[in-house]
Every structure is written in structure tokens, then in C-alpha cells.
């Protein structure tokens, strides 16, 4: 599975995909104003895993 994601990285660029491969998506979601970010589930595919996240965002008004 990791070999196919490597192919995606070659095609899309390592700079745009490496943080996702490092598992930094919850940090990015938190940095946009969401709190209590949690990974709910994931699906393994041939190229990598698709993760489902949940977070809370308060209205600023």
C-alpha cells in the first residue's frame, strides 16, 4: 500500500503530500479554529488510508 502512495507523491509532489503522510491533518484542522479534533474512522485503500475527522467550531459572531 505504501508503494502506491509513493507513486502519488511522485506525481503530486512530496511537498504537498508529506505532511499528510506524517499524520499532521488533525493539527491543520485545529489551526483553522476547530477544537476537539478527533479521527472518527478510516478506510484503507490501495494508495493509502482515507480518514474521517470531527471537530467543533464556535461561531465568532
Amino acid at each position: 500500500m505504501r508503494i502506491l502512495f509513493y507513486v502519488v507523491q511522485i506525481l503530486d509532489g512530496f511537498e504537498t503530500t508529506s505532511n499528510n503522510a506524517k499524520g499532521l491533518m488533525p493539527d491543520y484542522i485545529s489551526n483553522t479554529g476547530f477544537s476537539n479534533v478527533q479521527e472518527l474512522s478510516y478506510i484503507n485503500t490501495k494508495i493509502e488510508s482515507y480518514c474521517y475527522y470531527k471537530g467543533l467550531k464556535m461561531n465568532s459572531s
Side-chain angles (χ1 to χ4, degrees):
M1 183 175 8
R2 181 73 179 127
I3 293 172
L4 290 176
F5 186 68
Y6 183 71
V7 172
V8 170
Q9 288 185 296
I10 290 171
L11 295 173
D12 193 36
F14 286 91
E15 186 175 333
T16 59
T17 56
S18 63
N19 288 335
N20 186 34
K22 292 176 188 174
L24 297 177
M25 289 306 294
D27 293 335
Y28 287 127
I29 296 168
S30 294
N31 290 340
T32 61
F34 288 86
S35 62
N36 298 328
V37 177
Q38 302 171 17
E39 182 179 307
L40 297 178
S41 184
Y42 64 91
I43 298 172
N44 287 322
T45 69
K46 291 182 181 181
I47 58 171
E48 197 56 50
S49 296
Y50 287 103
C51 300
Y52 297 94
Y53 297 100
K54 175 178 98 169
L56 299 174
K57 186 158 187 167
M58 303 300 286
N59 289 334
S60 60
S61 49

